[in-house]
Amino acid sequence: MTIEASNFIEDIIVNDLETGKHNLIYTRFPPEPNGYLHVGHSKSLCINFGIKQKFNGKCNLRFDDTNPTKEDVEYVESIKEDIKWLGFEWDKELYASDYFEQTYDLAVKLIKKGVAYVCDYDAEQIRATRGTLTEPGQESPYRNRSVEENLKLFQEMREGKYADGSKVLRAKIDMASPNINMRDPVIYRILRYHHHRTGDKWCVYPMYDFAHPIGDALDGVTHSICTLEFEDHRPLYDWVCEQCEFVNPPRQIEFARLNIKNTIMSKRYLKRLVENGHVEGWNDPRMPTLSGMRERGYPAEAVKEFCARVGVAKANSEVDPALLEFCVRENLNQNAQRAMVVERPLAVVIDNMGDDEELSFAVVNNPNNPDSGTHNVILTKNIYIEETDFALNPPPKYKRLVEGGLIRLKGAYILRHVSTELDGQGNPVRLHCEYIEDSASGGVNCNIKVKGTVQWVSQKYAVDCNLYKYESLLVDATDEITDFNDRLNPNSLELVEGAKGEPFLFEGKVGESYQFMRQAYYKYAGKKNGVESFYRIVSLKDSFNK
Ligand code: ATP
Ligand code: MG
């Protein structure tokens, strides 16, 4: 049975299967453990693991740990957790450092073939002689060292005879190549730095461009999928595979990075936000990291749906963050239980109820899910409604409660307003109302016309809670202001204290998502600073233009 390709990468794969070039498709996800994964990575994850699933292939997780100064086990652990959260399973967990010995041996092989040499230039000299897009580079005076001398020097580099940065191993390709990556690129450097896996065993480390094709080839990767900025590195990738004499070498394929408007998509900058204290950590609910989105309450399925809708393209573009929110909202609309929470409570006394009288109503948990059942809400004489659901001086077309007016309590009776108690400034502090008998759903008076339906909670049973409302971390760029640091949104977090929620909310699991009716989707975050808390996941309203 042939599988239908759904993008240009899959076209290549289908062709490779049909022509018998490969029988087993093997991909990998190759993060550098120098930070937490962000939503951009989820696109790469969906592509690589999606291919594994679709073509019944394999996909490894391979950490690119060739730069020990920036890497850490904390990041390794977080990356694994995030991939599992998305529901992907890697076949092997590998590290570029697993191959340091073989990588070294391949470098020796290249020296013996006369296509690599030890150069005594420092970083600055290498840069100065590399040439430009219009000018060729200059050959290093060390370029024509003998194989014997190169072997000896490279061995001594490994043994620690030379200072950091004093020598490098370079590939001997073409200083006049129009592709600057081919102008004798550095493939090994001297660096004394403790590595999170190999400790102090090595003081020479391979460069990414050398280690990457080697790791791919040794793992049996067939398609090495990466982002567009590596397109110019592909000739070097192929050169390394050829010089190492790999049989049936992997093929590098580039796709467009995911960019989202007003969203930082670089571990380096995200790290800065954490270090500067702009956010509470990598998993702050405002962060575009996978751990931040998980903390915020985004369902993993919604993130994957977002990646599917963005698709796989060869040209860079910027996606509207509203598309991600749309996917989150669609998912929660199907799956989140409905609940009533009053954000800014206004006290209401139902005058025609007894002091201890309790009336129980069954409320549908999720109208979109017939299996979700109902739960009971208890109406008592003293309740709260939302402050904004009553107006003394209603603006035109006001659809909520006014003096003498009617309103339906969600899931329960219709109330008629009787009188208003005001404070010294003339603001309403308590309303007096009466409920209309038999006005609940199915009752003889249930069809009385009302202006609207509002959420409410019983004063006796409601639980106090705080609501954390999030906005984008960045404000729009302008012609003058483009730098992230100048675009930080000072209002990215609003804390609403003293909200009142239905009691069942606090009996559920931490991490559970709800739709607070007429408000937004929220995640139960448990106690934060000693107070029951919810994080706003996403608003109810859709700003996405389909
Ligand atoms: P950062 O600049 O955030 O560190 P990176 O590209 O250096 O990102 P890596 O850890 O090297 O991060 O990324 C692992 C894989 O994820 C790579 O194959 C990379 O191409 C891919 N990736 C990273 N960012 C994006 C993005 N915004 N969209 C799609 N794929 C991405
Ligand atoms: Mg990187």
Side-chain angles (χ1 to χ4, degrees):
M1 191 191 79
T2 53
I3 304 174
E4 193 106 352
S6 56
N7 58 52
F8 76 95
I9 299 177
E10 293 184 3
D11 283 336
I12 294 171
I13 289 172
V14 166
N15 188 55
D16 286 348
L17 287 167
E18 281 172 3
T19 60
K21 183 173 183 211
H22 300 291
N23 299 315
L24 177 69
I25 301 303
Y26 218 129
T27 56
R28 86 284 171 268
F29 177 70
E32 183 180 1
N34 63 347
Y36 283 57
L37 296 183
H38 50 66
V39 57
H41 292 108
S42 62
K43 179 167 176 187
S44 175
L45 284 162
C46 286
I47 293 174
N48 283 296
F49 284 96
I51 287 170
K52 167 187 157 136
Q53 288 165 352
K54 183 163 176 177
F55 296 94
N56 199 14
K58 287 184 188 289
C59 181
N60 291 339
L61 168 60
R62 190 177 71 237
F63 289 100
D64 160 37
D65 56 348
T66 52
N67 187 3
T69 59
K70 299 214 179 96
E71 295 156 9
D72 197 273
V73 280
E74 176 197 347
Y75 301 136
V76 168
E77 292 311 316
S78 74
I79 288 170
K80 283 157 59 172
E81 205 180 317
D82 290 344
I83 298 174
K84 285 189 216 152
W85 174 63
L86 283 179
F88 295 129
E89 282 175 43
W90 53 87
D91 288 279
K92 292 188 201 153
E93 177 185 333
L94 301 163
Y95 296 79
S97 57
D98 296 341
Y99 305 121
F100 277 173
E101 201 66 57
Q102 284 140 296
T103 310
Y104 181 86
D105 290 345
L106 286 164
V108 168
K109 178 183 177 116
L110 264 50
I111 294 174
K112 287 183 178 161
K113 292 174 78 168
V115 294
Y117 63 96
V118 173
C119 179
D120 294 5
Y121 271 173
D122 62 20
E124 185 41 48
Q125 288 168 308
I126 290 175
R127 199 174 309 128
T129 53
R130 195 163 41 205
T132 62
L133 287 174
T134 49
E135 303 249 319
Q138 299 148 33
E139 293 191 352
S140 157
Y142 307 100
R143 197 172 199 259
N144 295 314
R145 275 175 163 154
S146 68
V147 169
E148 290 67 36
E149 189 184 3
N150 281 320
L151 285 173
K152 176 172 163 285
L153 291 172
F154 190 48
Q155 172 73 25
E156 288 172 351
M157 279 168 64
R158 175 180 184 166
E159 287 164 2
K161 281 217 173 134
Y162 305 109
D164 288 11
S166 64
K167 285 186 174 22
V168 290
L169 185 70
R170 297 175 73 173
K172 191 172 179 175
I173 311 178
D174 179 6
M175 287 308 289
S177 170
N179 182 338
I180 294 182
N181 293 301
M182 299 299 272
R183 296 184 188 166
D184 290 11
V186 173
I187 57 177
Y188 256 93
R189 58 179 174 154
I190 306 173
L191 176 70
R192 285 168 180 81
Y193 203 93
H194 190 81
H195 187 282
H196 69 104
R197 285 178 70 83
T198 56
D200 298 312
K201 177 168 181 210
W202 293 91
C203 66
V204 288
Y205 290 99
M207 303 303 286
Y208 175 87
D209 279 336
F210 188 55
H212 203 78
I214 291 174
D216 283 345
L218 296 180
D219 292 345
V221 165
T222 55
H223 300 83
S224 178
I225 299 161
C226 62
T227 36
L228 271 185
E229 69 271 23
F230 291 101
E231 195 170 17
D232 289 345
H233 297 238
R234 186 171 3 111
L236 179 53
Y237 184 100
D238 291 340
W239 184 91
V240 171
C241 288
E242 191 190 329
Q243 295 300 332
C244 292
E245 298 168 28
F246 295 133
V247 184
N248 210 357
R251 170 171 178 183
Q252 175 177 307
I253 306 170
E254 308 86 15
F255 69 95
R257 291 179 88 79
L258 172 65
N259 296 309
I260 305 179
K261 187 171 177 243
N262 288 347
T263 306
I264 299 177
M265 216 84 91
S266 145
K267 288 188 234 125
R268 199 154 51 93
Y269 283 103
L270 292 170
K271 189 173 184 189
R272 213 183 280 169
L273 290 181
V274 174
E275 286 171 350
N276 294 349
H278 282 299
V279 291
E280 283 186 32
W282 285 96
N283 70 343
D284 186 299
R286 292 166 289 180
M287 288 283 268
T289 52
L290 295 184
S291 54
M293 296 193 300
R294 178 167 68 239
E295 179 68 11
R296 171 95 166 244
Y298 281 19
E301 285 307 319
V303 176
K304 291 201 273 189
E305 173 64 22
F306 167 69
C307 290
R309 282 174 182 258
V310 169
V312 180
K314 255 192 225 185
N316 280 316
S317 63
E318 196 175 61
V319 179
D320 189 333
L323 176 59
L324 176 56
E325 292 179 3
F326 168 81
C327 295
V328 171
R329 188 180 297 113
E330 290 281 286
N331 183 294
L332 294 173
N333 190 26
Q334 288 307 313
N335 299 313
Q337 178 170 350
R338 274 52 174 169
M340 292 196 282
V341 170
V342 172
E343 194 172 311
R344 297 183 199 277
L346 173 62
V348 176
V349 187
I350 304 175
D351 290 334
N352 58 345
M353 275 186 79
D355 285 348
D356 299 319
E357 194 178 348
E358 298 198 349
L359 299 166
S360 179
F361 299 88
V363 173
V364 174
N365 284 331
N366 183 347
N368 288 330
N369 177 1
D371 300 328
S372 65
T374 62
H375 73 279
N376 289 335
V377 290
I378 310 288
L379 185 68
T380 53
K381 184 181 181 76
N382 291 290
I383 63 168
Y384 292 116
I385 64 168
E386 203 64 63
E387 205 177 73
T388 50
D389 281 336
F390 172 73
L392 268 181
N393 302 301
K397 296 194 183 145
Y398 187 72
K399 287 269 170 37
R400 289 160 269 175
L401 187 60
V402 296
E403 291 203 285
L406 297 174
I407 201 84
R408 174 178 290 285
L409 297 179
K410 175 75 194 171
Y413 288 132
I414 294 169
L415 294 188
R416 174 183 288 114
H417 175 274
V418 176
S419 64
T420 308
E421 292 179 36
L422 303 176
D423 66 9
Q425 278 83 52
N427 297 314
V429 286
R430 187 177 292 112
L431 307 182
H432 289 266
C433 295
E434 285 177 355
Y435 77 87
I436 298 180
E437 298 229 9
D438 286 328
S439 63
S441 170
V444 291
N445 290 325
C446 78
N447 290 327
I448 294 177
K449 247 185 117 55
V450 294
K451 289 245 169 129
T453 300
V454 300
Q455 73 270 29
W456 56 278
V457 291
S458 148
Q459 286 188 27
K460 181 171 170 194
Y461 293 112
V463 177
D464 277 1
C465 54
N466 286 347
L467 307 181
Y468 289 76
K469 297 179 159 190
Y470 303 109
E471 297 291 343
S472 173
L473 271 176
L474 296 186
V475 297
D476 287 354
T478 62
D479 288 344
E480 296 82 46
I481 305 175
T482 52
D483 196 281
F484 288 151
N485 290 316
D486 304 322
R487 289 173 55 202
L488 289 167
N489 179 3
N491 303 315
S492 60
L493 168 63
E494 182 199 352
L495 175 59
V496 177
E497 293 174 301
K500 312 268 183 189
E502 277 190 75
F504 86 89
L505 287 165
F506 306 89
E507 291 154 14
K509 283 199 308 270
V510 170
E512 198 65 39
S513 305
Y514 299 95
Q515 184 195 93
F516 291 181
M517 284 187 279
R518 300 176 67 229
Q519 294 182 326
Y521 292 98
Y522 278 88
K523 182 193 105 162
Y524 177 43
K527 284 200 172 154
K528 221 173 124 86
N529 301 322
V531 186
E532 296 283 12
S533 296
F534 292 92
Y535 296 160
R536 186 169 70 183
I537 307 168
V538 69
S539 63
L540 292 183
K541 267 210 221 78
D542 191 0
S543 64
F544 181 61
N545 186 356
K546 279 163 266 181

